[in-house]
Amino acid sequence: MKMAEVMTAFMKTVLSATIFFVCMLVVNASLVGSAWSQDVVKPDASTKQEAPVSSGIRFWTDFFTQKPKLTWRIENSFRFFKDPKDTAVHREIYEDLLRSERKTPILSAERILNSETREGWATGMHAKTCWNANKNRHRCGKRTDYINPKSHRVLVTIENVDEPDASCQWLMRVGRGSKIKSKTVSGPCAGPMRFDIPYPRGAEILVVSGGRELAKRTIKVRDILIAGMGDSFASGEGNPDVPVRFSPERAQGYGVVKGKFDLSGYPTRVGSWNQIGDKKFNAQNARWNDTACHRSLYSHQLRAALQLSLEDPHRAVTFVGLSCSGAQVTFGLFLRYKGNEWVKNPPDLSQISALAVAQCGGTVAPEIDMPEAYHMRGVIKELKGGLVLRKCDRKKARKIDILFVSVGGNDIGFARLVANAVLADQSLLKKLGGWFGQLHEKTHTDVLLSAVDERLKALNRAFHGILHMPWNESDRIVLTAYPPIALLGENLKVCPSGNAGMDVMRAFSLSQKKALTSTLLANRLNKIMKKSTRLHEWSFAEVHRRDFIGRGICAGINDGGFANADDLRLPRKVAGVWKPYNPASYYPYVSRRRWFRTPNDAYLTAHFHATGTVLRKALSLNRLSWFQVLLAATYSGAFHPNAEGQAAIADSVATTARNVLKKYERRR
């Protein structure tokens, strides 16, 4: 463009702006003159009335001044927590995360939380949830509307208000037409003000100051139901809400095994107990959100649901977690399973039935006899004949927005396969394990692998037929892949042979060859699961598998490192001195290189022990002291993800679920 053309265009722009400005001055002048030419009563000085403002002047005032804006958020967006302050702790950390940290918000938050509370952030929260372990139901104290909320408390504020500390009238209006109900309260103009917003219809909030409306907005909460079911990888096994604390001075002996294995000088619990299993000893047990199932707040299913409640200030999450350590598709999801630890009131329903009961809220989910519906032409023998499930009527059942599922590992006996890889070939423990049915060779697992697909087909049928998951919305079901336990690097580089992280008992010794076999079988299981999700159109969360490479069971230091967190050795008291460190300085939830609990970690975290009467009944043995070490090192969560590992899985699961929710929210 030539210079002359540029100047011409510029002058036209200036001229247009000048004409517009002059016109507005004329309008202002005429409006002002009109206003003052009218017969008006001059204001008395005592009334302090302001002179009328012309619409023209108001135009320019509004143009340069932002109008008051009403904003709101749910006070307790994660309804599983009774106390809004517990949700607020997680929300504040999430909001303060750096952009780089938000790529993995749950793992980032986990590290921050546990750097501040070394015993674990769940210690102060586990007893304040909407799970009643005595009744095995989701209950929220005196509130009866946990599954089907009647209202949500929200915090309402106003931005850009001239006098934020002045008093305003806050009106909440519910309904339409002649059925409108209103409630008025006085409070600061800027807020925050709390309102119980009816669900699902919502309410209108109107703020008035001096007879003038400042702002108004319709508030509607989106409440989604997220359920979780499955096995120990989903329950949070190995990560009790309140871990066991160890005495800095006292040590414990467990006798001698086969005349040569000296089990003396072991770390033991704090407290003034006299012997293992007495009341004072048991009073120091690890504590769980659900003891029978070893289900904790560190569960990746709970953490993913919690994260989804934090990301949107207008979204509430109602969470129903049912995963149980040791559960299979058969005993656990379809059939009743009493859990991994003895309690007075074990689970009384299968997970599918329990979720159906939860869907019904306060109404009854009747029992339905289904003897031939789910055994898949006899392939799943455990489900043939006599299968009874609870089912909520479709009209009464609350819709499940997201269903997290972690299952398959126990169905192929993977825990037993791991035991086969870490127990010395000729040890007494291996013989005992085989007698107990706790060991598997590769050939056994091959047979079970072939049946996994049929079990997932049966589950798919139940999800749609019993739990009313829409067939055209099957991607709301999120199946989670198992992370690799022993991978140190690419190209199937696994942990070397040895007892790193396992010197709690001499019988423990990892075989690199068997670890590789287990890894290959786990990869086969992952492929079967992935194929099944495609067939059934479920979602599959697996990106975390790569994140676990290099963070397997043997990742750490075993030669006198400075950091207790990464030390793989178990402290023992020898000649009155703790070596290599005092067990009181072991903190289960600090950041570590490894994302799995070793047998040593398990002993120092959950420290599960059984009373002598229970052991004798189960094992018919007389000399039981040494067996407590095995329980403390295995039933306490060995070979399961630690809190950081659970958080890494949760990030993967939350990402998958987030995409699913966005898809259906766009359709509304």
Side-chain angles (χ1 to χ4, degrees):
M1 184 180 291
K2 296 181 180 179
M3 182 60 69
E5 294 175 340
V6 173
M7 291 301 297
T8 301
F10 176 76
M11 291 303 296
K12 286 182 178 180
T13 303
V14 173
L15 181 60
S16 298
T18 302
I19 293 173
F20 175 77
F21 185 75
V22 171
C23 290
M24 291 308 304
L25 288 177
V26 173
V27 171
N28 282 338
S30 63
L31 289 172
V32 172
S34 174
W36 286 105
S37 64
Q38 296 176 5
D39 293 331
V40 295
V41 178
K42 292 184 179 180
D44 184 82
S46 62
T47 64
K48 296 184 180 181
Q49 292 181 343
E50 296 181 358
V53 180
S54 73
S55 60
I57 294 174
R58 186 176 293 112
F59 170 86
W60 290 105
T61 302
D62 291 344
F63 184 81
F64 289 107
T65 305
Q66 289 184 323
K67 293 183 178 180
K69 179 182 178 183
L70 192 149
T71 61
W72 64 278
R73 69 169 177 82
I74 303 166
E75 183 177 46
N76 187 16
S77 57
F78 190 59
R79 301 182 62 246
F80 186 73
F81 288 156
K82 288 182 183 179
D83 191 344
K85 294 179 182 178
D86 292 341
T87 303
V89 168
H90 291 272
R91 180 188 298 110
E92 290 167 6
I93 288 179
Y94 170 67
E95 291 175 349
D96 289 341
L97 292 179
L98 302 175
R99 180 178 297 180
S100 59
E101 293 174 323
R102 291 203 175 197
K103 293 179 180 178
T104 54
I106 304 174
L107 178 58
S108 299
E110 184 68 33
R111 287 170 171 166
I112 293 171
L113 282 164
N114 290 324
S115 67
E116 299 171 350
T117 54
R118 290 187 172 183
E119 288 188 356
W121 57 264
T123 299
M125 300 183 186
H126 86 285
K128 299 180 291 180
T129 70
C130 291
W131 171 251
N132 187 320
N134 291 326
K135 296 183 178 180
N136 291 295
R137 298 290 187 272
H138 286 81
R139 298 284 187 270
C140 211
K142 295 181 180 180
R143 293 196 63 169
T144 60
D145 64 340
Y146 179 67
I147 297 298
N148 296 299
K150 296 178 180 178
S151 65
H152 296 82
R153 180 158 293 181
V154 303
L155 296 175
V156 188
T157 58
I158 301 180
E159 297 176 354
N160 309 319
V161 64
D162 293 334
E163 298 181 34
D165 296 328
S167 181
C168 282
Q169 298 297 307
W170 293 73
L171 291 80
M172 183 177 78
R173 298 193 295 205
V174 181
R176 294 181 179 179
S178 60
K179 295 183 179 181
I180 289 181
K181 295 181 180 180
S182 62
K183 177 182 178 181
T184 304
V185 294
S186 298
C189 290
M193 297 293 289
R194 286 177 169 82
F195 291 95
D196 290 327
I197 302 297
Y199 181 81
R201 57 183 173 174
E204 182 182 61
I205 301 296
L206 177 68
V207 186
V208 177
S209 176
R212 181 169 66 94
E213 178 185 303
L214 288 183
K216 69 177 179 179
R217 184 168 182 176
T218 298
I219 294 178
K220 269 195 171 186
V221 173
R222 297 194 308 277
D223 191 291
I224 62 174
L225 175 61
I226 298 180
M229 61 170 53
D231 53 22
S232 54
F233 272 65
S235 71
E237 174 66 274
N239 301 285
D241 299 306
V242 182
V244 171
R245 294 183 299 119
F246 288 86
S247 170
E249 299 93 10
R250 190 175 181 180
Q252 174 67 34
Y254 292 95
V256 178
V257 180
K258 296 183 69 174
K260 59 181 179 180
F261 295 156
D262 181 12
L263 303 181
S264 63
Y266 276 73
T268 196
R269 304 179 184 187
V270 298
S272 57
W273 50 273
N274 293 318
Q275 61 182 9
I276 291 175
D278 67 20
K279 288 185 178 180
K280 291 184 178 180
F281 182 88
N282 293 336
Q284 301 296 330
N285 283 351
R287 298 176 191 174
W288 304 82
N289 193 240
D290 185 272
T291 301
C293 290
H294 281 193
R295 189 166 61 246
S296 80
L297 302 187
Y298 294 102
S299 155
H300 73 256
Q301 293 181 340
L302 184 144
R303 295 303 308 279
L306 171 59
Q307 178 61 31
L308 293 172
S309 78
L310 304 177
E311 296 174 351
D312 186 336
H314 302 161
R315 175 199 289 153
V317 169
T318 299
F319 178 67
V320 175
L322 297 165
S323 293
C324 196
S325 185
Q328 304 176 30
V329 169
T330 51
F331 291 96
L333 273 67
F334 274 106
L335 302 170
R336 184 191 178 194
Y337 167 66
K338 295 184 179 181
N340 200 41
E341 184 173 335
W342 184 89
V343 296
K344 291 183 179 179
N345 300 295
D348 58 336
L349 297 171
S350 70
Q351 292 182 37
I352 292 174
S353 289
L355 185 48
V357 169
Q359 280 184 289
C360 259
T363 60
V364 176
E367 293 182 340
I368 308 295
D369 191 0
M370 304 176 184
E372 302 297 332
Y374 296 106
H375 61 72
M376 309 309 290
R377 300 176 303 279
V379 174
I380 311 176
K381 297 178 181 179
E382 297 90 340
L383 303 184
K384 190 172 182 179
L387 179 61
V388 178
L389 294 173
R390 296 291 188 100
K391 182 178 181 179
C392 186
D393 183 86
R394 184 182 294 272
K395 294 180 180 179
K396 298 178 181 178
R398 180 170 179 187
K399 180 180 179 179
I400 301 170
D401 293 279
I402 295 290
L403 176 59
F404 296 143
V405 183
S406 172
V407 74
N410 291 327
D411 295 83
I412 67 166
F414 191 70
R416 295 186 286 274
L417 195 69
V418 170
N420 188 56
V422 302
L423 290 177
D425 287 340
Q426 302 302 320
S427 73
L428 172 63
L429 293 181
K430 181 169 182 180
K431 292 178 182 178
L432 180 60
W435 172 55
F436 227 164
Q438 294 298 308
L439 301 180
H440 261 344
E441 301 289 348
K442 176 180 178 297
T443 52
H444 298 138
T445 305
D446 287 342
V447 175
L448 295 173
L449 269 171
S450 63
V452 169
D453 188 55
E454 292 297 317
R455 292 190 174 207
L456 294 178
K457 286 180 182 178
L459 266 185
N460 185 57
R461 184 177 293 180
F463 291 159
H464 295 296
I466 302 296
L467 302 179
H468 308 298
M469 302 290 291
W471 286 94
N472 62 341
E473 297 180 3
S474 295
D475 55 348
R476 291 182 182 272
I477 302 166
V478 180
L479 183 64
T480 305
Y482 293 100
I485 292 179
L487 275 183
L488 289 182
E490 302 287 352
N491 301 320
L492 295 176
K493 181 183 178 183
V494 298
C495 292
S497 297
N499 69 341
M502 304 180 190
D503 58 331
V504 62
M505 291 200 77
R506 292 190 181 184
F508 285 136
S509 181
L510 178 68
S511 164
Q512 186 176 43
K513 181 179 179 180
K514 291 178 180 178
L516 178 59
T517 299
S518 299
T519 300
L520 292 172
L521 287 169
N523 289 343
R524 287 177 59 189
L525 174 61
N526 188 67
K527 290 179 180 178
I528 292 172
M529 294 168 66
K530 192 170 186 177
K531 180 181 177 181
S532 291
T533 56
R534 289 173 179 170
L535 175 65
H536 305 310
E537 298 182 335
W538 299 354
S539 298
F540 192 45
E542 64 169 341
V543 296
H544 56 277
R545 282 176 55 82
R546 176 167 292 276
D547 297 332
F548 272 80
I549 297 176
R551 295 186 174 275
I553 195 75
C554 61
I557 302 168
N558 205 40
D559 57 358
F562 294 104
N564 288 356
D566 283 326
D567 200 316
L568 288 163
R569 296 168 297 174
L570 183 81
R572 298 278 291 272
K573 199 168 191 178
V574 181
V577 179
W578 287 108
K579 295 181 180 181
Y581 59 88
N582 192 309
S585 65
Y586 177 87
Y587 296 104
Y589 295 114
V590 297
S591 184
R592 286 182 166 80
R593 191 182 308 176
R594 58 187 177 276
W595 281 356
F596 278 94
R597 294 285 185 207
T598 66
N600 291 355
D601 294 334
Y603 182 97
L604 292 170
T605 303
H607 201 244
F608 174 74
H609 283 62
T611 62
T613 55
V614 172
L615 279 180
R616 288 189 178 93
K617 185 176 180 180
L619 302 173
S620 298
L621 295 176
N622 293 319
R623 298 178 61 82
L624 302 169
S625 183
W626 64 269
F627 199 76
Q628 296 282 14
V629 182
L630 176 64
L631 292 176
T634 54
Y635 272 62
S636 298
F639 312 111
H640 287 80
N642 60 17
E644 284 183 294
Q646 286 284 347
I649 300 172
D651 275 318
S652 173
V653 170
T655 298
T656 304
R658 189 182 299 119
N659 293 333
V660 173
L661 290 173
K662 286 180 180 178
K663 169 185 171 181
Y664 291 105
E665 287 174 354
R666 285 195 298 266
R667 292 182 179 181
R668 292 192 311 174

